[in-house]
Amino acid sequence: SFGQNVLQLVPFNGTPQTELVAQIIADTTTNGGILPDRVYELVGGGLYICQQTFSVYGDDVLRLRSSNDQKPIIYLYPTGTGNNPQNPPGNFIRLYGADLEISGIAVSGFFEPIDSNFNNVQGNMFRNDNEGSNFTFDNCIFSNINGQILRCEGSTGTIKITNCVFTNLGALSTSNFGAGKGIDLRAVAVDSLILINNTWTNYQDRVVRHYNFSNPLAGTGNIKYTKIDHNTMYNGMGFHGLLSLGNVGNRVIITNNLFKDAFAA
């Protein structure tokens, strides 16, 4: 696209250099960080493995996209190090004030082709730890995680998720009934939460969790603007409910959604 500096990452071929995060680190090392216009492109239909968490800081923007209409698949893969070398990394991407944009990609927290030990299913995929991050996901598939796909530990700008599938969320082998969520906002403030034309299926807990567990009477930060439109939420255990929105602003839009076999709202 015009104005973008595209770097295509090669699918995994068995060498350490082609591990996904290793390729991104090699580029950022060469350029002293993520180039402002950098887009990392994954080959459509290609297989990638992730054995380490990638952290993004400050005003950087990490952009990942497919090269065509086919989805490349990223598997969180056993790290091979530490006390539990059979476990994949607990997170794929962590933001510290930075932004994340992902389009046309499938990500699984479990190496489906071979691994059969569900004790290896780990916690998250995406997380922010500082204030100010923005998340934009479009036309993606996120699956096989024990905790949640997205977790926010710092006040967040915009979360915009469109045309995505969230599936197989939760693993009692490594977690509890309160896990297996789509989006976990903890107790933080969010400027805008926009969820349009997505599907959640086979999830263990809430589609959205925004709750102050340590001090429920204190409530949460506000989600200033909420739009949940044309989504399908199907086959959810809903152990703690369906949508836990906590404190919100003066504009909440929940329209044209299909709720099937969902816990009472």
Side-chain angles (χ1 to χ4, degrees):
S1 300
F2 181 77
Q4 293 180 332
N5 189 334
V6 178
L7 176 65
Q8 190 168 97
L9 306 179
V10 301
F12 182 68
N13 64 14
T15 65
Q17 294 84 359
T18 58
E19 189 268 342
L20 178 62
V21 172
Q23 294 187 66
I24 298 174
I25 290 174
D27 178 63
T28 57
T29 300
T30 299
N31 294 294
I34 299 176
L35 295 174
D37 56 352
R38 174 66 84 208
V39 177
Y40 295 107
E41 186 175 85
L42 280 63
V43 176
L47 186 151
Y48 294 79
I49 67 167
C50 169
Q51 292 182 284
Q52 55 188 314
T53 300
F54 186 69
S55 298
V56 193
Y57 297 88
D59 296 326
D60 285 346
V61 182
L62 177 62
R63 303 178 182 92
L64 303 174
R65 77 179 188 195
S66 175
S67 65
N68 55 40
D69 292 337
Q70 287 187 290
K71 288 179 174 58
I73 302 176
I74 301 171
Y75 289 109
L76 274 60
Y77 191 82
T79 63
T81 61
N83 294 327
N84 297 292
Q86 75 279 4
N87 288 347
N91 293 276
F92 172 26
I93 296 169
R94 293 182 74 159
L95 304 183
Y96 296 85
D99 295 346
L100 176 62
E101 301 175 7
I102 302 181
S103 176
I105 290 175
V107 188
S108 172
F110 186 79
F111 190 62
E112 301 169 32
I114 296 177
D115 205 344
S116 61
N117 183 359
F118 292 109
N119 288 317
N120 296 346
V121 180
Q122 296 304 298
N124 308 287
M125 282 188 184
F126 311 107
R127 170 174 170 151
N128 72 335
D129 290 86
N130 288 14
E131 295 183 355
S133 293
N134 299 286
F135 295 89
T136 305
F137 301 152
D138 181 61
N139 188 31
C140 294
I141 299 174
F142 303 118
S143 65
N144 299 322
I145 212 76
N146 78 16
Q148 52 274 315
I149 299 300
L150 171 60
R151 176 167 173 164
C152 295
E153 290 282 358
S155 295
T156 305
T158 295
I159 298 170
K160 184 177 182 181
I161 303 176
T162 53
N163 309 305
C164 292
V165 175
F166 292 69
T167 184
N168 299 342
L169 310 177
L172 292 180
S173 55
T174 50
S175 193
N176 56 53
F177 283 114
K181 302 175 285 287
I183 302 166
D184 190 345
L185 301 176
R186 310 308 286 175
V188 306
V190 179
D191 286 344
S192 297
L193 175 64
I194 301 168
L195 308 175
I196 299 175
N197 199 38
N198 304 292
T199 297
W200 281 265
T201 182
N202 297 350
Y203 54 95
Q204 188 170 284
D205 196 43
R206 289 148 287 185
V207 168
V208 177
R209 183 256 200 207
H210 188 217
Y211 180 69
N212 189 338
F213 182 80
S214 62
N215 190 357
L217 293 180
T220 63
N222 279 1
I223 305 175
K224 296 179 183 177
Y225 173 80
T226 306
K227 184 172 185 178
I228 302 174
D229 180 64
H230 276 93
N231 300 283
T232 297
M233 302 173 192
Y234 178 79
N235 197 27
M237 185 187 299
F239 188 78
H240 287 112
L242 178 63
L243 294 171
S244 173
L245 296 180
N247 290 60
V248 295
N250 59 10
R251 187 67 167 158
V252 178
I253 303 166
I254 302 176
T255 49
N256 306 305
N257 299 286
L258 173 63
F259 304 102
K260 173 67 173 175
D261 292 340
F263 194 94

